Amino acid sequence: MEVYIFEFIGTALLLLLGNGIVANVALKNTFGSDAGWVGITIGWGVAVFVGVFVSADISGAHLNPAVTIALATAGKFSWSLAPGYILAQFLGAMVGTSLVWLTYKKQYDTTEDEGSILSTFATTPAIKSPLWNFMTEFIASFAFILAIFYIAGGSVEEAPLSLGSLDALPVAILVLGIGMSLGGTTGYAINPARDLGPRIMHAILPIKGKGDSAWWYAWVPVFAPITGGFLAALVYLWLGF
């Protein structure tokens, strides 16, 4: 039970700080409106650092269903634990993004742009092209999760792979790099829980003038990270011969 609790806490912190920086940049009447894309990518890197550092020694700090599924595919994590981890990740993402809404409630009330409001919850593409949007998220997720395998251990052995708290910094730098290099097309969700959980909360919460939740796009940041992570697991196994 403890592993699920810390997976929940780590994911909640990830979304609180990650979507918090987006809210600070995107909403009206904040002090962070000039931070721009660089500020967002740095903020998400810090969010990953905190989430991983807090939860790594207890749960292994997956914080992402695509990571959980990839580790299980590679034989480095028990499939029996995967459903509980994924549920904890989704619930943590929903709670973390709800805390962002509570923090910025007055700013949400004064923001009229529906796209800006949605961006503080979930991702949408800069150019609407589902196939290419999927490809972007697939490539970014593949790179992210393949790197995670080597940060967490690096060799194909019987022992399970798990991030420790000392791995929080390289993982944070990895996410920062992906955001700066590959994130400009889709907002680099690379995490089904990070995107779908907050998108559900966007639909549920009583946000003034929020518009729709862009459900037409929701499948991309769910299935692209999972398939990208699955391929990363196969490549990792292949490289280990």
Side-chain angles (χ1 to χ4, degrees), residues 63-109:
L63 314 185
N64 183 339
V67 172
T68 299
I69 292 170
L71 288 173
T73 298
K76 299 299 182 179
F77 184 71
S78 172
W79 279 109
S80 66
L81 293 174
Y85 265 59
I86 292 171
L87 177 61
Q89 291 154 5
F90 272 98
L91 292 176
M94 295 168 78
V95 169
T97 207
S98 297
L99 293 176
V100 174
W101 172 67
L102 289 172
T103 301
Y104 285 94
K105 176 63 169 62
K106 301 307 292 184
Q107 281 73 24
Y108 278 108
D109 289 344

Side-chain angles (χ1 to χ4, degrees), residues 1-2 13 15 19 45 63 114 132 137 172 178-179 184 187-188 234 238:
M1 187 65 174
E2 187 179 30
L13 288 170
L15 268 295
N19 276 348
L63 314 185
E114 296 176 0
W132 290 106
E137 285 287 331
I178 288 175
Y188 71 116
L234 296 182
W238 177 75

